[in-house]
């Protein structure tokens, strides 16, 4: 009985202790598992060896803004530098190839202006350069070279030959001095034999070409028939006189010489001519005036043959010119 009683008393105490031990063990097991897991999580480390600063930068909007701004500045500087280099190259060398027109003018186009070189034959009356200009456009023309007014005098008296530059010179013989005094040169106020620039509209060009065509046809027919000045030739002289007067009224005839800057008085095409005489009725009347005739023709047989040439061709004074000018035209684009 005693053994049974003692067993019963121990069992009650042990049961409570066992329960407490069991609960503690459970708690310890749970905590131990949790602690074990925590220890494992703490042992995991992510190490970024490459682009570490970039990933750190992603956490800072201010650094992102700085980097983007720096990138934009670098691109802007590179683009500006390339633009400056490109503009410098354009200023140093033409960016277009050299072009030529049907009249032999050579065109070089730069960024801000066009430069055209044209070889002008002084024996041609109103030489077409094919260069178009606009009203009010700034133009600069330079000319170099020399010419002689009479090729047969040059052959016969070459030691006394007078070569004239683009600035021209006043007449040295009685005949041309008389005509000069009456203002019968193409540009009466400009120096005789100087280089002139003429701006012709399309209508003016048509009139000029018609005059030239009729003149050459009349020369051919007159030589065959051995006739003097015909009514057709009178008509040609009137037409060319009318055209020259019309151009002077519009100030389309411009004295150039060796160098001249001006604004185009009208739109049209540039023509070049020497400031000489054309044969008109007024010229004929002055030369055949009794007083003038004695001064001009007396003892000078060469001049007598000139009248026949003048009657055949009103711009015969130009046909015996020899020499050329290199004309350079600069105009803004």
């Amino acid at each position: 009985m005693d053994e049974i009683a003692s067993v019963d008393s121990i069992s009650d105490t042990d049961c409570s202790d066992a329960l407490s031990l069991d609960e503690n063990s459970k708690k310890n097991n749970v905590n131990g598992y949790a602690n074990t897991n925590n220890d494992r999580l703490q042992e995991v480390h992510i190490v970024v060896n490459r682009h570490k600063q970039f990933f750190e930068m992603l956490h800072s909007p201010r650094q992102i803004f700085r980097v983007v701004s720096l990138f934009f500045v670098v691109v802007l500087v590179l683009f500006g530098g390339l633009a400056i280099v490109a503009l410098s190259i354009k200023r140093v060398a033409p960016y277009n190839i050299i072009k030529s027109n049907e009249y032999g003018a050579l065109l070089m186009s730069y960024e801000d202006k066009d430069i055209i070189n044209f070889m002008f034959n002084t024996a041609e009356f109103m030489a077409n350069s094919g260069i178009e200009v606009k009203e009010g456009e700034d133009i600069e023309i330079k000319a170099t070279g020399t010419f002689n007014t009479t090729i047969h005098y040059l052959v016969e008296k070459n030691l006394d030959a007078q070569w004239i530059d683009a600035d021209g010179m006043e007449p040295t013989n009685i005949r041309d001095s008389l005509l000069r005094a009456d203002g019968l040169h193409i540009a009466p106020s400009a120096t005789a034999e100087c280089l002139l620039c003429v701006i012709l509209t399309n209508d003016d060009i048509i009139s000029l070409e018609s005059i030239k065509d009729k003149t050459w046809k009349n020369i051919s027919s007159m030589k065959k028939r051995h006739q003097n000045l015909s009514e057709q030739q009178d008509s040609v002289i009137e037409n060319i006189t009318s055209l020259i007067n019309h151009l002077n009224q519009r100030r389309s005839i411009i004295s150039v010489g060796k160098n001249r800057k001006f604004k185009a008085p009208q739109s049209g095409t540039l023509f070049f001519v020497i400031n000489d005489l054309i044969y008109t009725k007024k010229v004929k009347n002055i030369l055949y005036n009794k007083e003038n005739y004695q001064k001009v023709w007396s003892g000078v047989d060469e001049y007598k043959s000139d009248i026949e040439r003048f009657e055949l061709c009103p711009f015969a004074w130009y046909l015996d010119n020899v020499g050329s000018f290199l004309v350079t035209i600069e105009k803004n684009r």
Side-chain angles (χ1 to χ4, degrees):
M1 291 296 290
D2 294 335
E3 294 176 358
I4 296 172
S6 62
V7 170
D8 292 337
S9 63
I10 292 170
S11 63
D12 292 337
T13 305
D14 291 340
C15 285
S16 62
D17 292 338
L19 288 172
S20 63
L21 288 170
D22 186 50
E23 290 177 356
N24 290 331
S25 64
K26 289 181 180 180
K27 290 179 180 180
N28 291 332
N29 290 335
V30 171
N31 291 333
Y33 178 77
N35 291 334
T36 302
N37 289 340
N38 287 336
D39 292 340
R40 290 179 181 176
L41 291 175
Q42 291 175 357
E43 290 176 357
V44 176
H45 297 283
I46 299 174
V47 179
V48 179
N49 293 324
R50 298 181 63 183
H51 310 298
K52 182 179 179 180
Q53 293 181 350
F54 175 76
F55 286 102
E56 291 178 351
M57 180 190 68
L58 295 178
H59 297 285
S60 176
R62 180 176 296 179
Q63 290 185 358
I64 294 176
F65 176 76
R66 289 178 180 177
V67 171
V68 172
S69 300
L70 180 62
F71 177 77
F72 178 77
V73 170
V74 171
V75 172
L76 185 63
V77 170
L78 290 175
F79 179 79
L82 291 175
I84 292 173
V85 171
L87 292 174
S88 300
I89 292 174
K90 286 184 178 180
R91 292 182 182 276
V92 171
Y95 57 88
N96 282 341
I97 62 174
I98 297 175
K99 300 178 182 179
S100 62
N101 62 20
E102 59 182 315
Y103 302 99
L106 296 178
L107 169 66
M108 294 182 292
S109 295
Y110 289 81
E111 181 183 3
D112 56 345
K113 62 183 177 180
D114 291 332
I115 299 179
I116 307 102
N117 289 316
F118 176 67
M119 186 63 72
F120 165 55
N121 179 9
T122 57
E124 186 172 357
F125 177 76
M126 296 286 188
N128 189 352
S129 70
I131 302 167
E132 301 292 334
V133 297
K134 297 180 180 179
E135 182 178 356
E137 191 173 22
D138 291 323
I139 300 171
E140 181 176 5
I141 299 179
K142 301 176 182 178
T144 58
T146 57
F147 80 106
N148 188 277
T149 60
T150 317
I151 188 170
H152 55 279
Y153 287 174
L154 180 63
V155 173
E156 296 171 1
K157 304 177 181 180
N158 55 358
L159 294 178
D160 298 329
Q162 288 186 321
W163 292 86
I164 305 172
D165 59 27
D167 283 337
M169 62 178 292
E170 292 300 332
T172 57
N173 59 58
I174 297 175
R175 180 196 63 182
D176 292 347
S177 297
L178 287 172
L179 299 173
R180 171 69 174 166
D182 282 87
L184 298 178
H185 283 69
I186 292 179
S189 59
T191 306
E193 315 297 347
C194 74
L195 177 64
L196 301 177
C197 169
V198 187
I199 302 177
L200 299 184
T201 63
N202 290 334
D203 291 339
D204 297 331
I205 295 174
I206 293 173
S207 299
L208 178 62
E209 290 177 349
S210 176
I211 290 169
K212 288 185 176 182
D213 289 341
K214 289 180 179 179
T215 297
W216 300 128
K217 289 179 182 179
N218 290 340
I219 289 174
S220 298
S221 62
M222 290 176 190
K223 284 185 176 180
K224 291 178 181 179
R225 300 174 187 175
H226 300 284
Q227 295 177 347
N228 292 326
L229 193 63
S230 67
E231 293 181 359
Q232 291 181 346
Q233 191 66 8
D234 284 339
S235 175
V236 170
I237 290 175
E238 290 177 0
N239 290 339
I240 195 170
T241 303
S242 176
L243 175 62
I244 295 300
N245 291 336
H246 179 60
L247 294 173
N248 275 315
Q249 289 174 359
R250 289 191 317 203
R251 297 183 179 178
S252 299
I253 302 178
I254 301 161
S255 174
V256 174
K258 292 181 180 179
N259 191 358
R260 175 73 185 274
K261 293 181 180 180
F262 61 92
K263 289 185 179 294
Q266 65 179 16
S267 299
T269 306
L270 293 183
F271 282 68
F272 293 94
V273 66
I274 295 299
N275 189 27
D276 211 332
L277 299 152
I278 55 174
Y279 188 76
T280 63
K281 290 183 177 180
K282 190 172 183 179
V283 170
K284 182 180 179 180
N285 292 335
I286 291 174
L287 293 180
Y288 279 98
N289 178 279
K290 290 183 179 180
E291 182 180 351
N292 292 337
Y293 185 86
Q294 294 296 324
K295 293 179 181 179
V296 173
W297 306 116
S298 178
V300 184
D301 295 333
E302 293 90 347
Y303 289 149
K304 295 180 180 179
S305 62
D306 287 347
I307 291 296
E308 297 178 358
R309 294 191 302 118
F310 298 149
E311 291 181 345
L312 287 176
C313 179
F315 36 87
W317 261 293
Y318 291 88
L319 299 181
D320 58 356
N321 288 345
V322 58
S324 300
F325 290 123
L326 177 59
V327 182
T328 301
I329 303 101
E330 296 184 13
K331 63 190 188 77
N332 297 332
R333 291 178 62 85

